[in-house]
Amino acid sequence: MKRNFKNHAVVGVCALGLIGLNSCQVDDAYDLDKEIDKTITVGGDLTIPGSSTDNMMLKDLLEIEDGSAVVTDEKGNYILQQAGSSNSTEIDIPGVTISTAGGFSGVEIDGVSNTTGSNIDIDGTNIVIDEDIAIDINSDGITSVLKELVSANTNCVGTKVVVKLSKNGYANISAKMSDFEVVFPEFMTIESLDENWEVTDGRILTLKNEGSSFNESVEVPVNITKIDFEKAGAEYIYNSSVKDNNVISLNGAIVLRGNIALEGSMGSGASVGLKIDVESESIEVNEVKAVVDPEVDIEIDDMDITDIPDFMNDENVAIELTDPRLFFTVTNPSPIEVKFGAVLTPVKTGMDNLESVQIKDVTIPAGCRNYVICIHQNAGMDGDIQADSKVVVENLNNIIRNIPEKIQVSQVEVKLPEEAISIETGKHYDLATAYEVKTPLMFSEGTEIVYTETMDGWGSDLEDIEFNTVEATMTVDNQLPLGVKMDAVAVDNTGNVLSNVKVDMDMDIKAGATSDVKFSVSTTNGSMKGLDGLKLTVTATGSDETKGIGLNENQYIKIDNLKLKLKGGITMEL
C-alpha cells in the first residue's frame, strides 16, 4: 500500500501552503532575463485563507489492495481474514468376531436298551430332560479400540440346538419332544429361526406344540442377538499392555427342560440314548455399547500470515484486537464425540519468546457435518458470531499482537469420551477439519499501529522560495475508532534528515471526536534550502471507549478551517 489517511491529512496542509505559494505570476511583457536581481522579499506575516476538505472516506484512505488479508464484509466492516488448510483423519472401528467353536459342552442322556435276548417293542417311553449345557468361550485377539464393553449386538454363524438319537444295534426308534424349552443364560438375548419354536423372556426357546417325530435328529437354528457384559457370566478382559489382544469370556450354562418320548422296536442288545448340544461356528459383533479408544490423530497445519497491509505490518506495530476469532469447520460422521486442544505459537523473524496460546477441550460433536466452531476471546460478543458453537480463550490475542509471519501449531491433543457409546463395528469414518482466521478489526486499548510515510518531491517547487516559518492550524473531525498522533522530521532529496529544519507537531487527534491541531516547520539558520519533504511517523491507538467499534470503509476524517501562516514573509526568485 503506497499511502494511507495519515499521509492525506498532512498533504492537505503542506501541499496547499508550501507548494501553492510558488504559483505567483509576473507580466511576461517584461524581459527580466538580464543581469537584474530578480529576488523580491515580501515582509510581514502572510496568512492563506481557511479552507476545508470533503469527508475523506476510510476506504479511499487505506487503499487496500486486491489479495490483501484485510477485506470487507457485506456491511463494509474490515476483517482480517487468513485461510488455513484442510486436513482429515481416519477413525477405524475394526470388526469383532467371537470364536465359539467347541465352546458348548453337550450332554448325553441314557434312553432305553434291550437286554431280553429278543426283539421288543418300545411304546412311548418318556424320558424327562433336566440337564445343563456348559458354556466355556474365551475368544482372544479382540481389538484395543474397545476399552470397556457394556453390550454387543450380535449375529450368529451356524448356531443351532441339536437333539440326536444315539443308536447301537438294531433300533427302529423315533422320538417326539413335548413341553420342551431351552433356557439361555441371562447375559444372552436370542431369536428363533424355526417357526415351531418361539422365544419368551428374551432368552427362553420354547417348543410351541408337540413336536413332530424324528428318527435321527432335530436341529433348531437360533440367533444370539445380544450379549450383556453387565450381567454375570459375560466378561470383557482389557489387556492394556498388548495391542489388540483383549478377551471376550462367556461362561455359564444353557438349561434343558422337557420330555422326549421314544417308541418303536429294538433288537436284542440294542440301545438308544440322547445327545443334546449347541453347535456354533462364531458370533459376529455388529454393534457395541462400549468405551472406545480408536487412534484419532487430528492434524492442524501451521498457518502462514501473508498479504498484511502496510499500516499493520511495521515492526513496531502491536495489535490488541477486541475479539480475535479462529474458525474451525469440522465434519465428523462417526458417533464418537472428539475433543481436541493445541498450543498456538506466533513466529516472527527477530522476535523470540513470543507468548503462546493454549486452547483446550474444543468439542467436535458426533455425527456432525460442516459444523462451525468459533474460538474467540471476548465472551461478551458471542451474539455477534455466526457459529454452531463458541469457545472462549481469554488470551487469544497473543498470537496476533505482533502480526506474526506464521502461527505454529503444536502439542495437538485428542480426548475421547470415557462414557460408553453405541457404535457399529467394521466401520471407517473420515473426520475432516478446516480452519481460518476471520477477525473484525476492532482495536482495544494497547493497540499501537505505527506507520511511516515520506512526502517528498517538494524541492523543485521550493527551490525559488525562502521562508523562516510556516504555521498550520486546522480542525480535524476524526470519525475513526482510532486515535491518531503524528510526528515528523524534514528530509532532503536523498532522505537524510535536515538538522537546520525543525518540525513541531501537536497533533493528537482523538477517536470519534473533533480536535483542533497545529504544526509548524521552521529553520534555525534562515534558510530552507534542501527541504524536499517530511518524513511522518504516525501512531494510531485503540482505546477502551472504542473497543467494540470496528473499522468500516464508510468512516472518515474531515479537515475544516485549514489555515497557513508564513511568519516573517518570504523571499522569492522571480
Side-chain angles (χ1 to χ4, degrees):
M1 188 177 71
K2 296 183 179 179
R3 57 177 177 241
N4 62 4
F5 71 92
K6 303 95 175 180
N7 182 350
H8 286 266
V10 180
V11 169
V13 176
C14 296
L16 287 176
L18 303 180
I19 299 174
L21 289 173
N22 206 28
S23 62
C24 298
Q25 298 181 3
V26 297
D27 190 337
D28 58 9
Y30 294 92
D31 183 6
L32 300 180
D33 193 14
K34 304 285 186 181
E35 291 182 4
I36 299 175
D37 186 356
K38 297 184 285 295
T39 302
I40 67 168
T41 298
V42 180
D45 294 345
L46 300 178
T47 300
I48 296 177
S51 61
S52 301
T53 68
D54 293 330
N55 292 345
M56 295 185 287
M57 309 305 293
L58 188 57
K59 64 181 176 180
D60 298 322
L61 301 180
L62 291 182
E63 295 181 352
I64 302 295
E65 298 178 355
D66 291 341
S68 171
V70 173
V71 299
T72 55
D73 64 13
E74 66 279 0
K75 296 180 180 179
N77 298 311
Y78 284 101
I79 296 170
L80 176 63
Q81 184 166 305
Q82 193 84 55
S85 60
S86 300
N87 292 286
S88 64
T89 186
E90 297 179 349
I91 301 178
D92 283 315
I93 310 297
V96 176
T97 299
I98 304 171
S99 177
T100 56
F104 300 94
S105 300
V107 295
E108 294 187 3
I109 303 169
D110 290 338
V112 294
S113 59
N114 181 7
T115 59
T116 63
S118 61
N119 292 346
I120 60 172
D121 292 327
I122 305 298
D123 186 15
T125 300
N126 186 59
I127 300 172
V128 177
I129 308 297
D130 188 5
E131 301 285 343
D132 293 347
I133 297 176
I135 303 173
D136 186 13
I137 296 171
N138 289 279
S139 184
D140 59 8
I142 306 299
T143 175
S144 293
V145 169
L146 302 183
K147 194 172 181 181
E148 297 177 20
L149 192 53
V150 176
S151 63
N153 294 338
T154 58
N155 188 50
C156 291
V157 177
T159 300
K160 52 195 173 184
V161 178
V162 180
V163 181
K164 292 182 178 179
L165 291 176
S166 300
K167 300 178 181 180
N168 291 306
Y170 168 73
N172 184 18
I173 298 294
S174 63
K176 189 180 226 183
M177 291 188 288
S178 61
D179 299 325
F180 206 93
E181 62 182 19
V182 182
V183 182
F184 285 76
E186 287 189 356
F187 62 78
M188 283 185 176
T189 301
I190 66 167
E191 65 178 354
S192 172
L193 303 180
D194 188 319
E195 62 182 9
N196 295 312
W197 295 75
E198 63 181 357
V199 174
T200 59
D201 201 23
R203 63 188 182 94
I204 301 173
L205 183 65
T206 305
L207 183 63
K208 290 183 179 180
N209 302 302
E210 287 191 7
S212 302
S213 297
F214 60 93
N215 294 317
E216 298 294 334
S217 64
V218 63
E219 297 179 354
V220 184
V222 296
N223 187 24
I224 299 172
T225 59
K226 184 176 181 180
I227 299 173
D228 188 342
F229 289 89
E230 292 185 316
K231 293 184 177 178
E235 184 181 9
Y236 181 68
I237 304 169
Y238 183 72
N239 186 355
S240 60
S241 61
V242 182
K243 182 178 173 63
D244 296 335
N245 195 32
N246 303 316
V247 177
I248 289 178
S249 177
L250 305 177
N251 294 280
I254 297 173
V255 178
L256 307 172
R257 301 190 188 104
N259 299 286
I260 297 180
L262 303 177
E263 62 181 7
S265 59
M266 301 175 63
S268 176
S271 63
V272 177
L274 296 167
K275 184 175 183 179
I276 306 176
D277 201 356
V278 173
E279 296 180 1
S280 180
E281 297 177 16
S282 62
I283 300 174
E284 300 293 335
V285 176
N286 303 322
E287 184 180 15
V288 294
K289 184 177 182 181
V291 177
V292 296
D293 189 24
E295 293 183 4
V296 181
D297 297 321
I298 293 179
E299 295 183 3
I300 305 175
D301 295 335
D302 295 345
M303 177 184 290
D304 294 324
I305 305 297
T306 59
D307 301 316
I308 297 297
D310 291 349
F311 78 93
M312 295 179 65
N313 212 19
D314 189 278
E315 63 181 9
N316 295 317
V317 167
I319 298 293
E320 197 69 36
L321 290 172
T322 303
D323 193 35
R325 297 170 186 176
L326 182 62
F327 287 84
F328 281 85
T329 301
V330 298
T331 294
N332 177 19
S334 82
I336 305 171
E337 178 185 275
V338 177
K339 291 185 178 182
F340 74 91
V343 174
L344 309 181
T345 304
V347 177
K348 189 169 186 175
T349 302
M351 290 189 178
D352 298 327
N353 302 318
L354 294 178
E355 290 186 71
S356 297
V357 173
Q358 186 170 28
I359 57 176
K360 297 180 179 179
D361 296 337
V362 179
T363 301
I364 301 176
C368 69
R369 182 172 182 81
N370 294 328
Y371 184 90
V372 178
I373 304 166
C374 178
I375 300 171
H376 70 121
Q377 180 169 289
N378 193 331
M381 305 194 77
D382 269 4
D384 298 335
I385 299 172
Q386 293 184 349
D388 296 298
S389 68
K390 298 145 192 174
V391 178
V392 174
V393 178
E394 293 184 352
N395 60 344
L396 189 60
N397 192 71
N398 286 353
I399 63 173
I400 204 73
R401 178 175 289 117
N402 298 104
I403 310 296
E405 297 156 6
K406 177 188 291 188
I407 297 175
Q408 198 172 64
V409 184
S410 61
Q411 302 179 42
V412 178
E413 183 182 56
V414 176
K415 292 181 181 179
L416 302 179
E418 292 296 326
E419 307 85 45
I421 62 169
S422 294
I423 189 168
E424 293 182 64
T425 59
K427 286 285 188 178
H428 170 87
Y429 304 96
D430 286 318
L431 188 152
T433 60
Y435 69 100
E436 66 175 342
V437 173
K438 193 174 180 181
T439 298
L441 292 187
M442 293 183 289
F443 298 107
S444 297
E445 187 173 4
T447 295
E448 190 168 280
I449 300 174
V450 180
Y451 184 86
T452 59
E453 176 74 26
T454 299
M455 299 186 308
D456 53 15
W458 300 357
S460 60
D461 293 304
L462 298 179
E463 61 184 357
D464 297 326
I465 299 176
E466 288 289 349
F467 60 91
N468 292 327
T469 302
V470 59
E471 292 182 349
T473 61
M474 57 186 169
T475 300
V476 179
D477 181 10
N478 177 20
Q479 292 305 310
L480 308 183
L482 291 170
V484 178
K485 293 183 179 181
M486 296 188 200
D487 294 306
V489 293
V491 294
D492 61 19
N493 59 7
T494 61
N496 294 317
V497 176
L498 293 174
S499 60
N500 66 314
V501 179
K502 182 181 179 182
V503 181
D504 286 322
M505 281 195 171
D506 182 15
M507 301 187 73
D508 187 357
I509 306 170
K510 303 298 183 183
T514 300
S515 305
D516 292 327
V517 299
K518 66 181 180 179
F519 78 88
S520 66
V521 180
S522 59
T523 176
T524 59
N525 62 0
S527 175
M528 290 282 184
K529 287 293 185 183
L531 176 62
D532 192 57
L534 299 181
K535 182 179 180 181
L536 300 172
T537 299
V538 183
T539 303
T541 57
S543 66
D544 191 59
E545 290 78 12
T546 60
K547 65 182 180 180
I549 304 173
L551 288 186
N552 185 285
E553 64 180 1
N554 297 311
Q555 295 162 347
Y556 63 88
I557 287 179
K558 187 177 188 301
I559 296 175
D560 285 317
N561 200 24
L562 167 61
K563 293 181 181 180
L564 294 169
K565 179 184 287 187
L566 281 89
K567 304 194 71 174
I570 60 172
T571 299
M572 301 180 64
E573 174 63 46
L574 298 180

